[in-house]
Amino acid sequence: MAQNLVNALSLGSLYALIALGIALLFSIMGLINFAHGELITVGGYALLAFHRLPFAVAAGLVVAVVVAAALLMERLAFRPVRGASGETMLMTSFALSLLIQGGVLLKEGADPQSVDVLGGLGASIDVGGLSVGRLDLAIVGVTAVLLAGLAWFLRATPLGVQMRAAAEDFTMARALGIRADRVVATAFGVSGAFAAVAAVFLVARTGTLTPSMGLSPVLVGFVAIVLGGLGRLWAAAIGAYVLAALSVMLQAYLPGGLAAYRDALVYLGIIVILLFRPHGIAGRPGGVRV
Amino acid sequence: MAPLLRTRQVSVRFGGLRALDDVALELGDGEILGLIGPNGAGKTTLLNVLSGFQRPSTGEVELDGRRITGWDPPRRARAGISRTFQDVRLFADMTVQENCEVAVIGCGGRRTTARERARQALATLDLHRSADVLAKDLPYGVQRRVGLARALCARPRVLLLDEPAAGLNDDESAAMAETVRRIHAELGCGVVVIEHDVRMILGLCHRVHVLDHGVTLRVGTPDEIRTDPEVVSAYLGEEAIA
């Protein structure tokens, strides 16, 4: 039981990093950024390039590369369509996603590549009779620090307060003098940083890279956001942890014959939750604010 | 001397529809100007032109004689043009205090300045007891006052109010007019106020600008407007002017 809890927390933290990166942009500018997955892909391959360096240095460089990619994405692809309809921005993000995937495919090839970045993180340590992977501890710990950091940033800094205002009502925020460019660029930067950290942990867990590796995390991120409740930032994190808990518990307790249906049952569970809470676990009615 | 804020021959067309046609509005420093007219007269469109949310098809907007037609809303806010919306638009998940602080921070103020100004504005409007309440938990009438307090925090030179008394009862409307007067006295700013309640406008404003079908029908003092046959006839079937 305790082992499953650790697994759920670790997986949920990974999901939360991804979901928050997506939710941040959605709440501020109504952008559903499919290309978020490609930020994770870029992070993965950056890690491959830097993996001979000491882990901390490599991780730092990955964050720098992905944040730069996210800012570039904003400047070149999304700023020209800002204020356009949600569909236009969604299509832009699809195109960008395919473009980056194509680029990675050309440069790195379609074959999966493996990279071992675990190093000392592969070991387990003993916590009160429980064997806990160091990687799991690192994921839970780093995510907790990042979430707390984001909460502090949004509450205590002038830029953070402006971001919250812009997320609630972009038009009103502009009427009060808030510069959209700065707020949106900051949001992309934070989103990129979260994607970078998620990429490092994802690759550390699986050890493999493919050009389409970003797809499944980004889908999980969307599911977590819908499950938690659209339009509210922290609801995305809640959705992520619930989704991970469902997944881990079913994995652990399903009888052998049903184990193959785990994902189907996870999504059945989500459908049931949404039947009773159509706006998500922590969402509010009429909550799609753009 | 140039008026504080003015439009020169502003027209706005939406496709074939002329929402505004050659409108010249002038607001003097420290003046309260009422903007009235029947539904669809173009009042809110004109306010959007003044605050930068609507780019005019032709014509210019000037602040202190300086052309600001191409400025976007944040830039105008920083230049001292502050506006409210008919539907208030408070930041629902932020406290009353934070709502006010955003108005200062948005214009480049420091957090400490923001905190202090928000406290003052809330005290001015007797809202200090609600400072830590989330905006969404406030009754409607109080939300409208917070909207005004937020506009006040920016210390604007021009305050644009879009139906500040919408949805309020007679007593609340009278209190709202009093509040606008108090803000005006405190800031000494120019105020443009759109209002459906004509009685309130005539009691509150120094001058009144009447729009009808996108065209300026009359500009004058409340006394001139009250007795103007064209204005009265434009309003026939809408509501009687008291």
Side-chain angles (χ1 to χ4, degrees):
Chain A
M1 180 67 208
Q3 189 63 55
N4 290 326
L5 193 67
V6 172
N7 289 345
L9 273 178
S10 164
L11 191 63
S13 298
L14 190 55
Y15 288 177
L17 284 177
I18 299 162
L20 270 175
I22 300 168
L24 199 59
L25 295 180
F26 179 75
S27 63
I28 288 178
M29 52 186 296
L31 166 66
I32 298 172
N33 187 12
F34 247 91
H36 193 76
E38 277 55 52
L39 289 178
I40 293 172
T41 308
V42 167
Y45 282 93
L47 190 58
L48 177 65
F50 300 134
H51 81 283
R52 284 181 213 291
L53 299 172
F55 180 74
V57 178
L61 285 172
V62 169
V63 171
V65 166
V66 179
V67 167
L71 293 176
L72 220 58
M73 220 181 223
E74 190 274 325
R75 191 66 193 80
L76 298 180
F78 290 113
R79 196 174 290 186
V81 295
R82 193 189 304 157
S85 69
E87 292 83 356
T88 306
M89 291 195 288
L90 179 62
M91 285 304 136
T92 305
S93 82
F94 264 125
L96 196 60
S97 161
L98 291 173
L99 191 73
I100 298 174
Q101 261 188 54
V104 174
L105 192 66
L106 272 178
K107 188 170 176 302
E108 300 287 339
D111 294 335
Q113 302 186 47
S114 62
V115 52
D116 179 23
V117 290
L118 270 180
L121 284 175
S124 293
I125 51 173
D126 189 76
V127 181
L130 193 66
S131 155
V132 181
R134 283 191 171 181
L135 179 60
D136 287 330
L137 272 184
I139 294 179
V140 173
V142 169
T143 304
V145 169
L146 285 180
L147 295 195
L150 180 63
W152 174 83
F153 172 73
L154 291 175
R155 204 149 284 285
T157 68
L159 198 52
V161 171
Q162 294 183 62
M163 272 177 71
R164 273 161 68 212
E168 286 218 28
D169 188 334
F170 199 71
T171 301
M172 189 66 227
R174 277 163 54 77
L176 293 177
I178 291 173
R179 291 192 179 121
D181 285 353
R182 196 187 291 181
V183 168
V184 169
T186 308
F188 266 92
V190 174
S191 180
F194 278 30
V197 176
V200 170
F201 286 139
L202 199 67
V203 173
R205 281 174 77 107
T206 62
T208 49
L209 301 167
T210 66
S212 58
M213 64 182 277
L215 179 64
S216 115
V218 87
L219 289 179
V220 167
F222 286 134
V223 172
I225 290 172
V226 172
L227 181 63
L230 277 175
R232 288 190 141 177
L233 206 50
W234 299 113
I238 295 171
Y241 283 104
V242 171
L243 181 60
L246 263 177
S247 184
V248 168
M249 293 303 155
L250 284 175
Q251 174 86 39
Y253 297 115
L254 274 183
L258 284 174
Y261 299 104
R262 187 197 67 181
D263 286 348
L265 288 169
V266 168
Y267 286 94
L268 187 68
I270 292 169
I271 291 172
V272 171
I273 293 176
L274 290 178
L275 275 178
F276 287 99
R277 300 214 37 117
H279 301 290
I281 296 167
R284 68 175 130 201
V288 183
R289 279 165 330 191
V290 186
Chain B
M1 207 181 90
L4 179 60
L5 182 70
R6 90 157 124 205
T7 65
R8 285 181 192 274
Q9 279 71 55
V10 157
S11 298
V12 173
R13 290 180 209 95
F14 299 121
L17 180 82
R18 272 172 186 273
L20 289 177
D21 197 1
D22 252 3
V23 173
L25 172 140
E26 275 191 18
L27 174 72
D29 207 356
E31 181 181 43
I32 305 182
L33 177 73
L35 190 55
I36 65 171
N39 279 326
K43 304 179 295 268
T44 295
T45 306
L46 185 51
L47 214 66
N48 287 341
V49 167
L50 295 174
S51 54
F53 282 94
Q54 174 67 52
R55 191 82 190 261
S57 313
T58 56
E60 302 289 346
V61 184
E62 288 174 6
L63 179 69
D64 284 326
R66 189 172 168 200
R67 197 181 296 171
I68 60 166
T69 316
W71 291 15
D72 66 359
R75 187 158 178 209
R76 292 196 200 194
R78 285 156 180 265
I81 300 179
S82 183
R83 76 165 288 178
T84 67
F85 289 85
Q86 208 170 319
D87 50 354
V88 196
R89 310 185 82 139
L90 294 184
F91 302 116
D93 277 328
M94 298 171 86
T95 65
V96 168
Q97 169 84 19
E98 283 177 323
N99 262 276
C100 290
E101 288 178 15
V102 170
V104 183
I105 294 169
C107 288
R110 290 171 170 278
R111 196 83 207 266
T112 44
T113 319
R115 219 166 269 151
E116 190 45 43
R117 282 222 216 141
R119 209 171 287 140
Q120 283 170 12
L122 292 176
T124 305
L125 296 193
D126 292 325
L127 286 164
H128 47 283
R129 274 183 307 276
S130 310
D132 296 324
V133 181
L134 289 183
K136 65 180 173 194
D137 294 333
L138 293 171
Y140 180 72
V142 180
Q143 286 192 14
R144 296 211 79 96
R145 263 162 58 217
V146 173
L148 270 186
R150 185 170 62 179
L152 169 67
C153 283
R155 302 235 170 117
R157 301 188 52 216
V158 178
L159 185 58
L160 308 171
L161 305 175
D162 194 352
E163 298 210 27
L168 300 183
N169 65 32
D170 284 356
D171 287 346
E172 289 168 330
S173 285
M176 181 56 76
E178 195 43 54
T179 305
V180 172
R181 244 181 237 117
R182 214 187 305 172
I183 290 178
H184 173 257
E186 179 127 328
L187 294 177
C189 59
V191 180
V192 179
V193 51
I194 295 180
E195 192 44 73
H196 243 77
D197 183 346
V198 178
R199 210 180 334 167
M200 171 180 161
I201 284 284
L202 295 178
L204 177 66
C205 300
H206 303 126
R207 278 190 317 133
V208 179
H209 190 122
V210 189
L211 284 177
D212 188 23
H213 293 100
V215 179
T216 301
L217 188 66
R218 207 53 102 230
V219 181
T221 64
D223 281 340
E224 290 163 1
I225 296 300
R226 191 178 282 121
T227 53
D228 189 287
E230 275 199 65
V231 175
V232 172
S233 92
Y235 266 91
L236 278 181
E238 276 265 326
E239 57 193 294
I241 295 185

